[in-house]
Amino acid sequence: MRHFLTIKDFTKDELLEMISLAQKIKVQTKKKEFVPYLEHQTLGMIFEKSSTRTRVSFETGIYQLGGVGLFLSNNDIQLGRGEPMKDTARVISRMVDMVMIRTFEQSRLDEFSRYSRVPVINGLSNEYHPVQIMTDYFTMLELGINNPVVSYIGDGNNIAHSWLMLASKLGLEIRIATPKGYECDQAIINDALNFAKESGAKILISNDPTEAVSGADVVITDTWISMGQESEKDSKIKAFNGYKVDEEMMSLANKSAVFMHCLPAYRGYEVSEETFEKHEEVVFLEAENRLHMQKGIMVWLDNHRDSK
Ligand code: CP
Ligand code: NVA
């Protein structure tokens, strides 16, 4: 049995298999062919943080695959009152067929998955957001952007980390610019550099957005204040001066470069209103594709159960 906790755990071929499954399922869905790949299965969805896209896409996705989603927020289940993760895992995984968790430390996902009888999917942790980054790449392929030079400008957060993992597994060029003091985790950078030796990926880690964005095919940013960091807002806004993706920054990228954002977006901070609205078609396609990419991941995990 496999869990989808980080992109690090998968080979290039496995990641591409999930993407092709998602592509096939998207075509079927658009034709209103709802193939019941996960008929009668239940997806438990544990949320320790807020969500719009992750909740709606997983719940709709499992329904379209013939199953049902259970929304389990911290306010509703005993986990929020201190029941241990390992007990929660042993109970829920006897009743449902797959679990998605959005939480704080990645170690909480690791603990749940150690005790789980069913596949577990990371729906965002402090360290990683792998389903989002798979979706970003799925969207690039759909737009005909092959072998992109990807620039990420902003906080060295879960989005940046998952991009490092995907690019280094697939052999893409990734350039990350963060302010000093807000760099990506060094252990994650080291993992990416190691994977890059095998895949041929090119990785640039910088404190200079201009260097990172020059010649990019895709420019990505994310909120400067991730969930749980609200108290750092004032200091972060000061530190991120010069990191807003606006038309001036986009003019340094390739002429046909697209802008992507996992959302929610905070205009006037990490992106200007003008740049966001200019690229809204791509950004909202990226949001829609969460639905399709995650169906590919769920079906792939189901196909890799020990019993199959
Ligand atoms: N991008 C993303 O994961 O959005 P939500 O926080 O709304 O789920
Ligand atoms: N980095 C953001 C992503 C939100 C989808 C956060 O963790 O809040």
Side-chain angles (χ1 to χ4, degrees):
M1 183 179 71
R2 305 285 296 275
H3 302 293
F4 192 79
L5 304 182
T6 154
I7 287 169
K8 188 171 140 174
D9 299 338
F10 296 91
T11 64
K12 175 177 178 173
D13 286 348
E14 288 173 333
L15 297 167
L16 296 178
E17 265 170 41
M18 293 174 203
I19 290 173
S20 358
L21 257 174
Q23 285 165 334
K24 182 172 92 181
I25 297 172
K26 180 168 182 180
V27 171
Q28 290 169 333
T29 306
K30 291 288 175 190
K31 288 195 283 188
K32 302 263 178 253
E33 275 174 32
F34 297 104
V35 183
Y37 293 98
L38 304 183
E39 193 171 20
H40 298 144
Q41 293 201 22
T42 302
L43 175 73
M45 308 188 302
I46 299 177
F47 282 91
E48 298 202 273
K49 291 176 178 170
S50 310
S51 166
T52 298
R53 281 142 288 268
T54 305
R55 191 235 167 127
V56 176
S57 56
F58 269 108
E59 196 163 334
T60 305
I62 186 74
Y63 172 72
Q64 290 181 346
L65 294 172
V68 68
L70 280 186
F71 175 66
L72 307 167
S73 91
N74 246 1
N75 295 332
D76 307 309
I77 60 173
Q78 300 286 9
L79 182 68
R81 298 181 67 244
E83 184 166 16
M85 206 54 156
K86 58 184 183 183
D87 294 357
T88 308
R90 282 178 285 190
V91 172
I92 292 182
S93 73
R94 281 174 180 258
M95 299 177 184
V96 305
D97 303 284
M98 216 175 271
V99 175
M100 182 244 91
I101 308 181
R102 167 167 285 198
T103 188
F104 293 89
E105 297 79 22
Q106 184 80 8
S107 56
R108 289 178 73 67
L109 273 156
D110 293 337
E111 185 180 1
F112 190 102
S113 62
R114 266 201 308 281
Y115 288 90
S116 174
R117 294 182 166 201
V118 299
V120 180
I121 300 172
N122 181 353
L124 180 146
S125 65
N126 291 350
E127 289 86 349
Y128 293 115
H129 197 1
V131 291
Q132 177 69 58
I133 276 43
M134 291 290 282
T135 304
D136 292 2
Y137 187 62
F138 174 93
T139 306
M140 289 175 198
L141 294 179
E142 185 173 309
L143 293 169
I145 305 171
N146 294 303
N147 271 319
V149 174
V150 177
S151 292
Y152 174 91
I153 310 294
D155 191 20
N157 64 11
N158 42 14
I159 295 291
H161 289 156
S162 282
W163 255 108
L164 269 175
M165 284 300 125
L166 187 78
S168 64
K169 285 282 181 170
L170 298 190
L172 305 176
E173 181 165 349
I174 177 88
R175 303 161 178 191
I176 296 190
T178 63
K180 286 208 168 72
Y182 294 96
E183 287 90 356
C184 291
D185 185 295
Q186 193 56 48
I188 295 176
I189 297 176
N190 292 344
D191 280 343
L193 291 171
N194 273 331
F195 295 137
K197 283 184 203 148
E198 199 181 315
S199 68
K202 282 196 187 164
I203 298 175
L204 172 81
I205 303 289
S206 166
N207 296 120
D208 176 2
T210 305
E211 178 190 26
V213 84
S214 299
D217 299 308
V218 183
V219 181
I220 298 182
T221 189
D222 180 25
T223 181
W224 295 338
I225 326 288
S226 283
M227 289 179 275
Q229 299 182 336
E230 291 72 14
S231 64
E232 296 171 48
K233 186 171 177 185
D234 294 343
S235 54
K236 285 192 101 173
I237 287 171
K238 275 196 206 114
F240 282 73
N241 186 24
Y243 280 77
K244 183 189 297 165
V245 178
D246 55 12
E247 287 309 280
E248 200 184 324
M249 182 138 3
M250 287 300 291
S251 71
L252 302 172
N254 282 342
K255 242 200 164 108
S256 56
V258 300
F259 168 77
M260 293 179 93
H261 194 308
C262 67
L263 302 175
Y266 298 90
R267 275 94 150 173
Y269 295 98
E270 76 271 11
V271 60
S272 68
E273 169 77 14
E274 189 185 4
T275 298
F276 184 88
E277 290 302 335
K278 202 166 153 186
H279 295 269
E280 60 89 24
E281 219 169 292
V282 170
V283 171
F284 291 105
L285 175 66
E286 178 188 2
E288 177 196 326
N289 280 338
R290 291 288 301 278
L291 172 64
H292 308 295
M293 186 62 239
Q294 290 161 189
K295 284 192 279 185
I297 293 170
M298 287 191 280
V299 172
W300 191 94
L301 290 173
D302 185 59
N303 287 342
H304 289 77
R305 286 180 200 272
D306 299 336
S307 55
K308 288 230 167 182

